[in-house]
Amino acid sequence: MAHMLEHVCFLGSRRRIELQSGGLGMTSNACTDFNHTVYHLSMNTEHLQFGLEALADIGFLPAFEPQRVAKERAAVLSEAQMVNDCQYRLQTQFLGGVHRDNIIHERFPIGLEAQIASWSVEQLRAFHDKWYVPENSTLYIVGDIDEELAAAKVHEIFSCFSASKVPISSPWKFDEQSLYRPAMDGRPSILHTYVKTDDDTDVAPPAFLNWRDGLEVSIEKNDLLQGMQICWAAKMPLVAASRSEDLSSWLCTRLVVEAVRLRFSGRWRSGVIPCNFHSYDSIREAVAMTTLTIMTEPTRWEMTCEDVLQEILAIAKYGLAEEELELAKRIVLDRVREAANAQPWAMMGTLHGYDPAGTSREVIDELIATTPCGHLLLDAKSFELALQKASREIDLATMNSTARAMLGFFGGEAGGRARGTVVVSCPAAINEEHTGNKIPFVAPSVAKVAETLRNVPELDEAEASSRCVSCPAAMPPAKEDYFTQPVTLEDPAADSETVTLQLANGLTVRMLVMPANPSSGPARGGMRLTVPGGRAGDVREGRPASSEMMLQILDNCGAGEWSREEVQLYRVLNSVTTHLRAGADALELDVHFAPSPSSTRAALEWLHWTLKDPKLDLTGFSDAQLRMKGNALAREKSLEARGRQELLESMYPSQTWLAEAQLQEVNHLTLGAAKKARASQFTSVSGMELNIAVCVASRSGSTDGLMHEESADINGNMVTTEESAAVAEMRRALEREIHRCLSPLLGGPHPGQQARPAPSASSRGCERRVHIPDNDARALVLVGGTCPGFWGRGDDTWETTAKYKKFSWGATANENPLYPAKAMELMIECLNTRLLGRVRDQLSLTYNCDIELTMFEGFDAGHFICKVFTFPETQQKAALAAVEVLRSPGWMPFTDREIEASKRVMAYREARSQREEKGYWLGRVSPLPVQDISLSPGNRFEGERKLLESLGSDDVQRAWHALGSLDDPFVVLATSGSPQVAGMLPPTQVVDRSRVPEAVAAAEAAAPQSPSGAASQIFLD
């Protein structure tokens, strides 16, 4: 009921709606968890009073209009169906198994569908009157505001809500026997049964001493799961590290986690680690949790469990080595130091440890989580220094003692009897190894699982010692004397502008270095290597999906004289992470690193060896193929992924490379195909492009304290001389390391250079249906069509139709190449607002719906997909409503009010992406195809911002006319559940279509006239 009430209060608040649509730039959201409901508002500080008025209206003055309650009831039911995917089921199965000793497993926040459907307005009002009272509420305000002014405004707006005289302790005297919330009469206690420690040490107040001395196993099936998951968990009392003096034990626990993960990395050198070990404090459930999650093939679960538990038991019995302690310290402390340096304005604490809270919203979330249980929360730099001091108190004996205590519940000679809770999630069916046919999977019995976990043969001391992890050497390419100097093509006119380097081997490098601040984001570094070819190149060369296979192997392989284990550990120790993906027309290798000399050097060294001498072997291929098979099978069981695949195949029947690899393609891959893909695309770096974007923190004390000079960066923020010095130093370091690491790579003609892809969409739309067998009924509507690419030109079908309709982008597109893309993005945002208002608010058909826009930059093509999650019984109505919204600008043009509201949403999203997305600035380094003289080199951000502000209703309406297939759309109606669910749809087509679609008429008009007596041209579906 709390979740249902959240919807009614939040979305039914007229004051919130007035303010959010009134041009204040306010954003809002709400969430409900096991122990509280939270309402968030973000706005400029000068609008504090308006924000407080909105929160007062949301929390204490809900209208409870029957129409609003009915709408939110439908929205919550739709949300329950939408979130019911594979991961949600795994999470609920885990929480249900671990918390079977209390009522948590019966009180998931989203609610039970039968209860949601039956609650009346009177029941909701009674729930609100009981719990939405001042005594049970806490108001958090974070921002650059005057405290006295804020307190006065709070008193002015909230003092009128009288106390309800509910018996309650003081707001911060929390109920320590239950969840972390104020103790109130009528609130049920949620007590936990904890795992009994080996020494029976009292680590908590007497009320917590409800111990379990045994192993409980639960087994459930997950129809959407392909593999098998076994999660072994131990609940312990949550004892918060609330003072700096408590940091030693807190840090020691984190060091053990890192050391165990290092041991796992050494055991599974091929890259596929079948398990994850974690220890954390869960405020949501008010417990400390240690978990071991094992992911395995269903037919090999016993062997995998034995392999994983052997490592765990060996650490508990024989301990860790001194070098492993030092490696773990280095990893943890480096991670905290980099986070503190990246966002010196942020807060950090013992609840989330490595994740700094750098925005007002993040700080509020951290305060809500840490305040009740007393976790330590400091400014980032103070937290880093406190951890460094605590680390000096931890020696090997202390760490091994902590490891034995943490790992003791897994049993063995060191731990004794196995204890805790084991939750097993099994698939309903699996694919037969040789035929690929689906066969039912027989889940193991509870007794069999318990026996297997209790009777693991342990390693002897010599074998356990051989598993210890040691620190790898660096990966220098060669001697610097042999390298050719890079040539600087363009020098920056000012700080924070792009520098372009052209190496002698043909590699083009662009660098953007800027100061880190709350606007541009935390200090961080990233590089993106773009290699022509991609999935389209694979299809042209007759080896589909081979590039994706090659990248999967590259991401976890050895290189040169270094093993896979050494390469992976070297990356971890130097804070280098990678994300490799095969795009439609190019491969993109993203490498993220800390903005420090050592991390920058390590990232470029890894890139050097990955391009020059990677070890593509059969073991790496087998593991990569296993991952790709798992992804393909997961897409087959996913309602959204399966529907999207069907839609793209119907839209582009001859261009299979626009969609993800299917299972049959993965099964036909070979190691030879992966090696050919590498030879085709990585033999020469000529034609490749490397974009590098780095945000650097200023160097405190690097300039004279009596001087203070400023300039402006690309966001318009003032840049001090300290920041300028840091930018210049990082740029010099980058040039030096690029010269050292990338100049030796081979140049020459690129064997993969071919013509750009030229897809052609079908001129006829269609309607297809997809059904996935499942125990739960769900439905999804997908409506798609063509649109132009990023630069305003489309595929052959779109161009022919545009010519037939006499469509033109106008003179603005010639002046600014970004015009088509920004106009299309703004138009889609306006349509999204209409879609939400019509399908969700007016018709109550869905909780989640949106329109996605894909505009390819590398070739002329694009498409849009409208997605609506709904109920099977309302799927036809939802499809008609979605098509109606897509066509609505034809009779209801966009208004200035819609456009301005959408601009604010886009500006907020853009600002958030700057702060949070690692690869944001990498997409802003490439130059425009037609350089606007008003823009500095590479500065796409400023151009996009100014262009968006200048767009009006005529531009947005023109962009809508650029959408293709509206009169004859591509539609996929996807359902899951029993066969009867699919039968709810009528046998005839649901969406009405033009008898002669524009695309068909345009193609007929453009086709040459057939000679007398010849057959006329036929357009196939």
Side-chain angles (χ1 to χ4, degrees):
M1 191 174 286
H3 181 222
M4 175 78 174
L5 192 60
E6 170 215 313
H7 277 250
V8 173
C9 293
F10 181 71
L11 294 167
S13 170
R14 291 176 178 167
R15 184 57 174 156
R16 181 193 65 82
I17 296 172
E18 290 172 1
L19 294 173
Q20 195 153 349
S21 60
L24 300 182
M26 185 180 80
T27 61
S28 57
N29 206 345
C31 64
T32 298
D33 214 328
F34 288 115
N35 51 0
H36 56 222
T37 295
V38 180
Y39 300 97
H40 286 282
L41 295 181
S42 298
M43 72 210 73
N44 291 333
T45 53
E46 62 265 28
H47 302 314
L48 172 64
Q49 178 166 345
F50 296 139
L52 294 174
E53 291 173 1
L55 285 175
D57 189 62
I58 291 169
F60 299 115
L61 299 172
F64 288 108
E65 298 173 350
Q67 184 180 9
R68 171 56 66 180
V69 172
K71 289 181 183 297
E72 298 314 317
R73 189 193 316 279
V76 173
L77 289 170
S78 176
E79 181 183 1
Q81 290 193 352
M82 182 199 72
V83 301
N84 191 25
D85 57 10
C86 183
Q87 290 303 316
Y88 180 78
R89 296 182 192 186
L90 287 174
Q91 183 183 31
T92 54
Q93 287 170 3
F94 170 74
L95 293 175
V98 171
H99 299 298
R100 199 163 295 278
D101 53 344
N102 55 53
I103 63 173
I104 285 182
H105 74 282
E106 300 174 351
R107 300 288 181 91
F108 291 112
I110 203 160
L112 299 176
E113 293 187 18
Q115 292 180 345
I116 296 169
S118 64
W119 285 325
S120 65
V121 173
E122 290 72 24
Q123 287 176 303
L124 291 171
R125 190 188 301 276
F127 187 94
H128 179 273
D129 291 343
K130 181 176 182 180
W131 300 112
Y132 278 63
V133 294
E135 297 94 329
N136 195 37
S137 307
T138 305
L139 177 66
Y140 294 86
I141 302 176
V142 173
D144 186 13
I145 53 177
D146 181 84
E147 291 185 18
E148 293 184 3
L149 175 63
K153 294 293 182 185
V154 170
H155 185 269
E156 174 188 342
I157 294 169
F158 285 91
S159 60
C160 61
F161 302 110
S162 59
S164 61
K165 310 304 181 185
V166 175
I168 186 174
S169 58
S170 63
W172 296 115
K173 186 178 180 182
F174 279 77
D175 180 7
E176 294 180 340
Q177 298 185 33
S178 185
L179 297 183
Y180 286 102
R181 56 194 183 183
M184 291 181 64
D185 289 348
R187 174 171 282 163
S189 294
I190 299 180
L191 301 179
H192 297 282
T193 301
Y194 300 104
V195 168
K196 190 178 179 72
T197 59
D198 55 352
D199 55 1
D200 293 335
T201 302
D202 288 348
V203 293
F208 278 148
L209 298 183
N210 185 18
W211 303 109
R212 171 181 296 149
D213 189 11
L215 189 66
E216 286 196 2
V217 178
S218 63
I219 301 175
E220 295 191 45
K221 284 194 174 182
N222 186 332
D223 292 320
L224 303 182
L225 188 64
Q226 180 58 31
M228 184 171 172
Q229 178 174 294
I230 302 168
C231 189
W232 192 340
K235 292 196 294 185
M236 295 294 292
L238 195 160
V239 182
S242 56
R243 303 171 302 163
S244 298
E245 292 78 9
D246 302 328
L247 280 178
S248 179
S249 59
W250 179 89
L251 177 59
C252 198
T253 301
R254 272 65 193 171
L255 294 178
V256 171
V257 171
E258 291 298 336
V260 171
R261 290 175 177 174
L262 285 173
R263 205 50 97 75
F264 285 159
S265 178
R267 172 68 179 264
W268 286 276
R269 298 171 186 268
S270 61
V272 180
I273 301 176
C275 56
N276 186 26
F277 180 68
H278 198 20
S279 183
Y280 58 94
D281 292 341
S282 175
I283 301 303
R284 181 177 65 175
E285 303 138 59
V287 292
M289 194 86 74
T290 299
T291 62
L292 176 67
T293 304
I294 301 173
M295 294 78 68
T296 176
E297 293 182 63
T299 56
R300 294 170 49 88
W301 71 270
E302 294 173 87
M303 185 182 302
T304 306
C305 287
E306 181 177 303
D307 290 343
V308 172
L309 288 172
Q310 280 183 340
E311 296 298 323
I312 290 286
L313 299 180
I315 295 173
K317 183 176 181 180
Y318 303 112
L320 296 156
E322 186 72 40
E323 191 167 10
E324 289 174 309
L325 169 61
E326 295 306 316
L327 283 174
K329 281 186 179 181
R330 178 174 168 184
I331 291 172
V332 171
L333 295 178
D334 282 358
R335 192 178 299 162
V336 172
R337 182 178 64 254
E338 288 159 8
N341 290 339
Q343 300 187 69
W345 57 85
M347 305 290 289
M348 298 181 72
T350 53
L351 181 60
H352 297 125
Y354 314 133
D355 300 324
T359 66
S360 297
R361 167 67 186 270
E362 291 171 348
V363 172
I364 283 183
D365 289 341
E366 198 75 11
L367 286 171
I368 292 173
T370 60
T371 305
C373 60
H375 271 282
L376 187 67
L377 186 63
L378 303 170
D379 67 272
K381 200 62 183 176
S382 297
F383 183 71
E384 178 210 343
L385 296 175
L387 274 191
Q388 288 180 357
K389 179 182 178 182
S391 69
R392 293 190 285 270
E393 302 172 8
I394 301 173
D395 56 17
L396 187 60
T398 303
M399 185 174 181
N400 283 330
S401 175
T402 303
R404 283 192 297 273
M406 291 176 62
L407 307 179
F409 69 91
F410 291 109
E413 292 185 25
R417 187 178 179 185
R419 306 177 296 281
T421 304
V422 177
V423 181
V424 182
S425 299
C426 300
I430 59 175
N431 287 71
E432 211 169 19
E433 183 68 26
H434 301 292
T435 65
N437 298 328
K438 289 189 180 297
I439 58 175
F441 176 69
V442 180
S445 65
V446 169
K448 179 63 175 176
V449 172
E451 180 186 3
T452 300
L453 299 181
R454 287 192 181 111
N455 299 290
V456 175
E458 298 190 48
L459 303 175
D460 58 38
E461 187 169 5
E463 189 172 0
S465 300
S466 67
R467 306 288 176 83
C468 295
V469 180
S470 58
C471 184
M475 302 172 63
K479 295 182 178 179
E480 294 185 43
D481 300 340
Y482 300 146
F483 299 165
T484 305
Q485 290 287 345
V487 179
T488 301
L489 298 181
E490 297 173 356
D491 288 324
D495 287 335
S496 303
E497 292 187 3
T498 300
V499 177
T500 303
L501 308 174
Q502 186 71 50
L503 304 189
N505 54 18
L507 178 65
T508 301
V509 183
R510 301 185 187 92
M511 299 186 301
L512 176 63
V513 184
M514 69 191 80
N517 55 57
S519 297
S520 63
R524 58 193 172 188
M527 60 182 75
R528 174 173 297 162
L529 181 71
T530 303
V531 184
R535 298 196 301 263
D538 290 342
V539 173
R540 281 195 300 264
E541 297 179 15
R543 38 178 174 74
S546 58
S547 287
E548 183 179 353
M549 169 63 72
M550 180 260 296
L551 293 180
Q552 289 270 5
I553 302 174
L554 284 181
D555 204 21
N556 290 287
C557 71
E561 62 188 57
W562 292 275
S563 68
R564 176 255 161 204
E565 177 193 5
E566 291 173 323
V567 172
Q568 296 300 312
L569 185 54
Y570 184 65
R571 284 168 45 176
V572 169
L573 293 176
N574 288 283
S575 304
V576 176
T577 60
T578 57
H579 179 55
L580 282 56
R581 58 191 174 275
D585 64 323
L587 308 182
E588 291 185 342
L589 285 70
D590 282 10
V591 186
H592 300 285
F593 53 92
S596 64
S598 60
S599 186
T600 303
R601 184 181 306 114
L604 287 165
E605 287 176 351
W606 177 85
L607 186 61
H608 168 96
W609 285 109
T610 298
L611 294 176
K612 181 181 179 180
D613 189 20
K615 295 179 179 179
L616 306 186
D617 54 26
L618 191 58
T619 302
F621 166 77
S622 299
D623 291 333
Q625 189 177 42
L626 186 63
R627 286 195 298 272
M628 290 181 66
K629 281 183 179 180
N631 293 337
L633 289 168
R635 286 194 292 270
E636 287 187 1
K637 292 188 175 184
S638 166
L639 198 64
E640 182 178 351
R642 180 81 174 274
R644 183 186 299 273
Q645 188 96 6
E646 195 75 21
L647 186 70
L648 290 176
E649 287 178 358
S650 62
M651 195 182 306
Y652 299 98
S654 301
Q655 284 81 36
T656 57
W657 47 270
L658 284 171
E660 299 290 338
Q662 298 194 44
L663 184 60
Q664 61 268 27
E665 294 175 332
V666 178
N667 285 332
H668 291 143
L669 288 171
T670 63
L671 178 58
K675 289 183 175 180
K676 288 180 181 178
R678 178 190 170 272
S680 173
Q681 303 191 65
F682 284 174
T683 301
S684 169
V685 297
S686 178
M688 297 184 186
E689 294 184 353
L690 180 65
N691 290 342
I692 303 177
V694 184
C695 294
V696 294
S698 63
R699 297 176 301 145
S700 178
S702 61
T703 57
D704 190 343
L706 300 178
M707 298 178 61
H708 185 75
E709 300 178 6
E710 294 182 336
S711 59
D713 66 3
I714 61 177
N715 285 309
N717 299 311
M718 300 311 296
V719 179
T720 66
T721 52
E722 286 187 5
E723 292 171 331
S724 296
V727 167
E729 182 179 330
M730 174 54 69
R731 189 181 293 120
R732 287 193 298 270
L734 279 171
E735 289 194 44
R736 181 175 62 252
E737 294 302 331
I738 289 169
H739 156 66
R740 189 177 72 91
C741 296
L742 302 183
S743 289
L745 297 174
L746 292 176
H750 194 286
Q753 289 176 351
Q754 300 180 30
R756 294 195 308 170
S760 184
S762 172
S763 56
R764 282 274 192 186
C766 64
E767 185 173 304
R768 294 189 179 182
R769 301 183 183 186
V770 171
H771 182 72
I772 299 175
D774 193 7
N775 286 332
D776 298 320
R778 294 175 296 151
L780 172 67
V781 173
L782 296 172
V783 181
T786 59
C787 72
F790 193 86
W791 309 112
R793 299 176 295 275
D795 59 32
D796 290 342
T797 302
W798 186 89
E799 289 288 347
T800 303
T801 307
K803 185 176 181 181
Y804 175 78
K805 296 192 302 184
K806 298 181 179 179
F807 174 81
S808 171
W809 284 110
T812 310
N814 297 326
E815 299 170 1
N816 193 325
L818 295 171
Y819 173 77
K822 300 315 291 183
M824 290 291 295
E825 290 172 9
L826 181 56
M827 179 272 298
I828 290 294
E829 189 62 46
C830 293
L831 276 181
N832 264 317
T833 303
R834 289 190 179 187
L835 182 71
L836 190 66
R838 177 62 175 161
V839 181
R840 185 198 185 285
D841 293 341
Q842 293 181 9
L843 301 178
S844 302
L845 296 174
T846 184
Y847 167 76
N848 184 25
C849 55
D850 69 329
I851 306 171
E852 299 175 3
L853 181 68
T854 301
M855 304 178 73
F856 296 104
E857 290 194 44
F859 56 96
D860 298 331
H863 58 261
F864 67 90
I865 298 177
C866 175
K867 176 179 62 179
V868 180
F869 284 93
T870 186
F871 311 99
E873 57 270 22
T874 60
Q875 191 174 25
Q876 179 179 0
K877 191 174 181 181
L880 294 174
V883 173
E884 176 192 18
V885 170
L886 290 171
R887 295 173 177 171
S888 64
W891 64 82
M892 188 172 63
F894 295 105
T895 64
D896 291 338
R897 183 185 178 90
E898 285 181 287
I899 293 170
E900 291 306 312
S902 296
K903 285 181 181 179
R904 289 193 295 271
V905 172
M906 292 177 66
Y908 170 77
R909 189 183 300 129
E910 191 80 5
R912 185 177 62 185
S913 297
Q914 283 187 40
R915 296 190 303 267
E916 299 177 2
E917 291 183 13
K918 285 185 176 181
Y920 175 84
W921 291 110
L922 293 175
R924 299 298 186 274
V925 178
S926 299
L928 302 177
V930 180
Q931 185 63 57
D932 186 344
I933 59 174
S934 65
L935 301 181
S936 57
N939 189 355
R940 284 173 57 170
F941 168 79
E942 182 66 14
E944 291 179 11
R945 185 184 65 79
K946 290 182 178 179
L947 177 59
L948 180 64
E949 292 175 353
S950 68
L951 295 177
S953 57
D954 291 343
D955 305 297
V956 177
Q957 196 71 22
R958 180 183 291 115
W960 176 77
H961 284 290
L963 294 180
S965 313
L966 291 180
D967 59 337
D968 188 28
F970 299 88
V971 179
V972 172
L973 304 176
T975 55
S976 69
S978 65
Q980 289 75 20
V981 173
M984 291 182 180
L985 290 168
T988 57
Q989 287 198 3
V990 169
V991 176
D992 62 301
R993 301 170 184 278
S994 171
R995 293 186 61 186
V996 183
E998 287 181 338
V1000 173
E1004 290 176 345
Q1009 295 295 320
S1010 301
S1012 178
S1016 60
Q1017 186 174 3
I1018 298 175
F1019 291 90
L1020 301 178
D1021 244 359

